[in-house]
Amino acid sequence: MFPETSPASGYNERKTQRQFMGQVLAASAASRIEIVHDVGSLRARLAQWRRAGETIGLVPTMGALHAGHISLVREAKRHATRTMMSIFVNPTQFAPSEDFGAYPRSLEADAAKFASAEGDLVFAPAIGEIYPPGFATLLSIGGPATAGLEDRFRPAHFPGVATIVAKLLNQCRPDIAIFGEKDYQQLKVVTRMARDLDFETKIIGVPTVREADGLALSSRNVYLSAKERAVAPSLFAALRRCVHDINDGVIIETALAAARKTVAAAGFVTDYIEARHAESLAPVTSREEWPVRLLAAATLGKTRLIDNIAV
Ligand code: PAF
């Protein structure tokens, strides 16, 4: 169930020898950033900041940063005097059949982007720092984590996400932590988990950043071929049409059926396109069960896209 700390585990593992505080990566003169790889150094730096009266904002990521991540950094800076980003491709949230090995890893470029956004510190732990030998704990979660959306297709995903986020909240003890609405079910899972386990960190969601044609930014968009990239925005277009129809009085199930048909015709294989209560993620059948959110997951070629929109 748990990852071995093998040298094949990717970038984070290859950095185990570089566990010292205050490594400064000079990606360019303008983009100097402190990168720490171990929890001891991280806690020492954060304690210094707290003693100086600073507040701490955490942006948890798996790297491969794009403009969506930078919008999370901007939001963190609105709420805290110091902003840190964790960059860790978390193996426990990937099924064996998924893209853990292929997931893009680009620490130097990510650190430079974070520095340009005026972030303060990157925490890029080695895998053994997060999952030491003998690690045997995984959170068991319900509520939004078992809503029958992502969890139906990726049953191991949210226990892995909840576990890594709980660890990061413990390691960093941030005042706030920022998550994108792009992974809407994840945002609800993390919010529930933080409340249930009495973390003092305030969880803040940030709207999805999109390309001009509506495609939600995602680190996985790089997997799309040119032809697929041209088709990909039709998923969000179908969701928007669906919202329009529901607000025009079309029965929710009828509007959803039309969206599923459009998306299939565009070449997607759909996992789900559903209307849910925006907080509990419980199924809804009428717009009166407000607030309502549409959530979708569909695969185009080899790339699985997820998206969502408020009704
Ligand atoms: O959304 C992500 O990038 C990841 O699921 C997260 C929250 C960083 C946990 O690994």
Side-chain angles (χ1 to χ4, degrees):
M1 173 165 64
F2 297 105
E4 294 301 320
T5 53
S6 79
S9 300
Y11 183 86
N12 289 303
E13 180 59 24
R14 292 197 294 277
K15 290 287 179 182
T16 40
Q17 303 308 314
R18 300 168 63 181
Q19 295 184 350
F20 57 93
M21 185 173 177
Q23 179 199 348
V24 174
L25 183 85
S28 78
S31 58
R32 289 173 180 277
I33 193 86
E34 182 175 4
I35 304 182
V36 297
H37 297 288
D38 68 290
V39 177
S41 303
L42 173 75
R43 285 190 165 142
R45 168 61 79 224
L46 298 181
Q48 254 178 17
W49 286 348
R50 276 192 206 96
R51 277 197 299 276
E54 309 258 25
T55 53
I56 295 159
L58 168 67
V59 181
T61 77
M62 298 204 300
L65 301 192
H66 49 64
H69 295 109
I70 300 307
S71 77
L72 306 185
V73 174
R74 266 193 233 108
E75 184 67 13
K77 289 174 70 63
R78 288 185 52 233
H79 296 272
T81 60
R82 293 284 187 172
T83 300
M84 63 161 296
M85 172 177 280
S86 60
I87 298 181
F88 180 69
V89 184
N90 174 39
T92 60
Q93 68 189 74
F94 290 79
S97 58
E98 293 178 350
D99 57 344
F100 173 68
Y103 200 86
R105 289 161 170 85
S106 48
L107 182 61
E108 277 80 2
D110 290 342
K113 287 178 191 166
F114 182 59
S116 300
E118 297 180 5
D120 295 293
L121 174 103
V122 168
F123 176 45
I127 194 160
E129 194 68 18
I130 298 292
Y131 298 115
F135 187 90
T137 301
L138 200 59
L139 288 185
S140 168
I141 45 177
T146 50
L149 297 164
E150 282 302 283
D151 50 296
R152 194 146 53 93
F153 298 89
R154 308 180 70 196
H157 181 63
F158 288 126
V161 168
T163 302
I164 184 66
V165 172
K167 284 182 68 87
L168 290 169
L169 295 183
N170 258 328
Q171 290 166 344
C172 310
R173 296 188 32 249
D175 297 278
I176 55 126
I178 308 280
F179 295 83
E181 285 183 355
K182 158 82 169 33
D183 296 295
Y184 193 81
Q185 190 178 5
Q186 169 175 280
L187 172 63
K188 297 298 150 191
V189 168
V190 166
T191 303
R192 182 79 254 168
M193 180 276 293
R195 194 177 305 152
D196 289 352
L197 298 185
D198 299 315
F199 283 103
E200 286 181 336
T201 304
K202 182 174 180 203
I203 307 296
I204 297 173
V206 172
T208 303
V209 177
R210 299 182 181 279
E211 303 279 9
D213 59 10
L215 178 65
L217 296 194
S218 162
S219 305
R220 289 189 168 102
N221 289 352
V222 294
Y223 300 154
L224 293 165
S225 70
K227 216 167 140 193
E228 290 161 356
R229 173 62 190 81
V231 172
S234 52
L235 178 63
F236 184 59
L239 291 181
R240 285 183 67 185
R241 173 86 238 168
C242 197
V243 169
H244 182 268
D245 289 350
I246 292 168
N247 287 333
D248 245 18
V250 176
I251 291 168
I252 287 189
E253 202 40 59
T254 308
L256 290 172
R260 289 181 196 122
K261 208 167 151 192
T262 307
V263 166
F268 285 88
V269 176
T270 303
D271 285 345
Y272 59 84
I273 298 180
E274 300 228 10
R276 294 301 180 98
H277 187 275
E279 288 309 317
S280 67
L281 300 186
V284 295
T285 51
S286 111
R287 209 198 164 291
E288 274 57 64
E289 295 168 68
W290 190 88
V292 175
R293 195 103 188 169
L294 305 186
L295 300 101
T299 301
L300 192 59
K302 290 195 171 77
T303 312
R304 189 168 181 277
L305 303 178
I306 61 170
D307 210 337
N308 65 86
I309 187 171
V311 175

